[in-house]
Amino acid sequence: MGSEFLPLELIEEILCRLPVKELLQFRCVCKCWNSLICDPKFHEKHLTYSTTLAFHFINYFNPSSKFILTSYPIDTLFTNNNNNNNVTTTFTRLEYPQHYVKGYQYHLLTGLDYFVGSCHGILCLTNKYGTLLLLWNPSIRKYKELPLFQRPLNNSGRTDVDFGFGYDHVNHVYKVVAVLSYVSYDVTKTEVKVHTLGTDFWKSIHEFPFGCVSVAHSGQFVAGAINWLAYNRSHHSFIVSFDLEKESYQQILPPDNTTACRLGVWKDCMWLISGRDLWLMKEYGNKESWTKLFTISCDFSKVIDILDDDRVLLEYMDKMIVYNFTNHTFKFTDFEIVWPPQVSVESLIDITTY
């Protein structure tokens, strides 16, 4: 090999630090590069270096009766200068058809309503009935619809479903967890089901412990566990953690004298909102490690995500704003919120191979 060529090991180290868009183009350079970039082990290595963020929207369905999922680079939030033409210059779009909800007195046509969460650049989406689950990697434009689970029979006629999505680092599998809450003989019950990506069934496990009667929002994945904000019969809030490898529960208490209203994840740490205060758990599972990160000085509907060391993405009056909590300034973006967006990193992980 001539001196003008780089060793394959060095080429791999360079490529694994590049954005996904360039890597997809570089597959055409030669068979060797194509084989390397398509290797699942390279996908995992690339993920460890991936820092490129994007945010994703579920839009209203278009005239063809398809829901539109759209992804934009995170830099769009800071560079659009209130010009909608700039917003649409770079995006990824997936059109997904609506479907009928089965098992109801009236068959309802529904689509994708909200994001369950993201893990390794893969987005998990569902609808308000929990009758449709979709995994989508917008970076490589691959998606996969998951099998449905059997709902419990109950005398109330209503079952609320909340989901969580994450990765079992020990067994190297992705899992989706469903929490079903319903009333049976005037007693609120919860059933929990787990689906492992690559199988065609849902496994039933123990119901939620610690006197939990309901959960709020989707579960947040961090430290190998999915975490839900839960409530007991006295309406006190706490966090239920579900370990994906052991499939066991743990109770995590919020900071003293706080009432948690939302959970999130930032830099592999869990955060929660209480009033206008944002708290960060620096050591997962250790209540004493809760630290108040900042207090938001402006009115807002909810925190969407923390972007970096001094900026946070907020929802305000159906608009998305970027709030700088170091100098307490904020910037309105051109994005209107139909459903809360989801932020995730770019990745090459192909869920269709599972």
Side-chain angles (χ1 to χ4, degrees):
M1 182 177 292
S3 60
E4 69 272 16
F5 292 98
L6 294 174
L8 183 59
E9 294 79 6
L10 183 55
I11 293 175
E12 180 179 352
E13 290 299 320
I14 296 173
L15 292 181
C16 71
R17 290 165 169 81
L18 297 181
V20 170
K21 182 178 179 180
E22 281 75 7
L23 289 174
L24 296 179
Q25 296 172 339
F26 290 164
R27 290 183 305 178
C28 301
V29 171
C30 62
K31 291 182 179 180
C32 181
W33 282 30
N34 179 65
S35 177
L36 173 64
I37 295 172
C38 293
D39 189 338
K41 292 183 179 179
F42 179 81
H43 298 172
E44 295 177 7
K45 186 173 184 178
H46 174 268
L47 183 64
T48 63
Y49 292 103
S50 180
T51 58
T52 304
L53 296 176
F55 63 101
H56 319 278
F57 284 95
I58 303 175
N59 303 104
Y60 283 120
F61 56 84
N62 61 11
S64 62
S65 296
K66 293 182 179 180
F67 271 73
I68 301 174
L69 312 178
T70 313
S71 300
Y72 298 94
I74 206 73
D75 292 343
T76 309
L77 293 171
F78 314 114
T79 59
N80 58 58
N81 296 321
N82 297 319
N83 186 341
N84 283 321
N85 292 328
N86 291 333
V87 170
T88 57
T89 54
T90 305
F91 64 89
T92 302
R93 174 169 291 179
L94 169 67
E95 295 186 7
Y96 198 80
Q98 300 180 80
H99 79 301
Y100 282 97
V101 177
K102 300 178 181 179
Y104 288 81
Q105 182 178 1
Y106 300 100
H107 291 288
L108 300 174
L109 189 64
T110 184
L112 297 163
D113 289 340
Y114 67 92
F115 292 103
V116 172
S118 67
C119 176
H120 296 174
I122 304 168
L123 306 175
C124 183
L125 306 96
T126 187
N127 60 17
K128 60 184 177 183
Y129 304 103
T131 57
L132 175 63
L133 273 170
L134 186 76
L135 297 182
W136 176 43
N137 185 338
S139 301
I140 58 175
R141 305 190 180 191
K142 295 289 186 69
Y143 69 90
K144 183 174 185 176
E145 189 173 333
L146 301 185
L148 299 180
F149 49 82
Q150 185 176 2
R151 290 169 173 267
L153 298 175
N154 64 88
N155 61 358
S156 70
R158 175 181 173 181
T159 303
D160 295 325
V161 187
D162 291 277
F163 294 96
F165 171 58
Y167 185 69
D168 177 352
H169 296 276
V170 177
N171 298 304
H172 305 290
V173 291
Y174 293 92
K175 293 183 178 181
V176 179
V177 183
V179 182
L180 298 91
S181 304
Y182 63 97
V183 176
S184 179
Y185 302 104
D186 298 325
V187 176
T188 302
K189 288 186 172 291
T190 59
E191 287 190 16
V192 181
K193 297 179 180 292
V194 179
H195 172 73
T196 300
L197 190 60
T199 66
D200 59 357
F201 63 90
W202 290 77
K203 178 173 63 174
S204 296
I205 60 173
H206 303 292
E207 68 178 55
F208 257 28
F210 316 122
C212 171
V213 295
S214 65
V215 297
H217 312 298
S218 300
Q220 300 294 316
F221 175 70
V222 63
I226 298 176
N227 303 266
W228 285 271
L229 186 60
Y231 299 90
N232 57 24
R233 289 179 175 81
S234 300
H235 303 290
H236 293 148
S237 64
F238 55 95
I239 299 167
V240 174
S241 168
F242 180 76
D243 187 290
L244 288 179
E245 185 260 320
K246 299 177 181 178
E247 296 189 349
S248 60
Y249 299 103
Q250 175 187 1
Q251 183 178 8
I252 298 178
L253 296 178
D256 292 333
N257 303 316
T258 62
T259 301
C261 61
R262 191 169 182 85
L263 293 180
V265 176
W266 180 51
K267 293 186 176 180
D268 298 324
C269 293
M270 185 163 57
W271 57 257
L272 66 79
I273 289 290
S274 177
R276 288 189 175 184
D277 297 331
L278 193 147
W279 294 77
L280 190 71
M281 177 173 266
K282 295 187 174 181
E283 181 183 344
Y284 182 77
N286 181 6
K287 179 188 174 184
E288 304 304 319
S289 70
W290 282 115
T291 304
K292 187 189 294 186
L293 194 61
F294 60 85
T295 298
I296 301 174
S297 62
C298 62
D299 292 326
F300 67 98
S301 301
K302 66 179 62 172
V303 173
I304 297 173
D305 211 327
I306 304 176
L307 300 177
D308 49 31
D309 290 335
D310 60 1
R311 289 180 292 194
V312 61
L313 201 58
L314 303 176
E315 179 182 343
Y316 175 75
M317 300 289 290
D318 296 327
K319 296 287 289 187
M320 200 160 59
I321 66 174
V322 179
Y323 174 69
N324 187 310
F325 52 84
T326 300
N327 55 25
H328 304 293
T329 60
F330 61 91
K331 172 184 179 294
F332 280 89
T333 72
D334 292 321
F335 295 93
E336 293 186 1
I337 297 178
V338 179
W339 287 281
Q342 178 74 40
V343 177
S344 71
V345 298
E346 284 189 345
S347 86
L348 290 162
I349 304 297
D350 186 356
I351 68 286
T352 63
T353 60
Y354 286 82

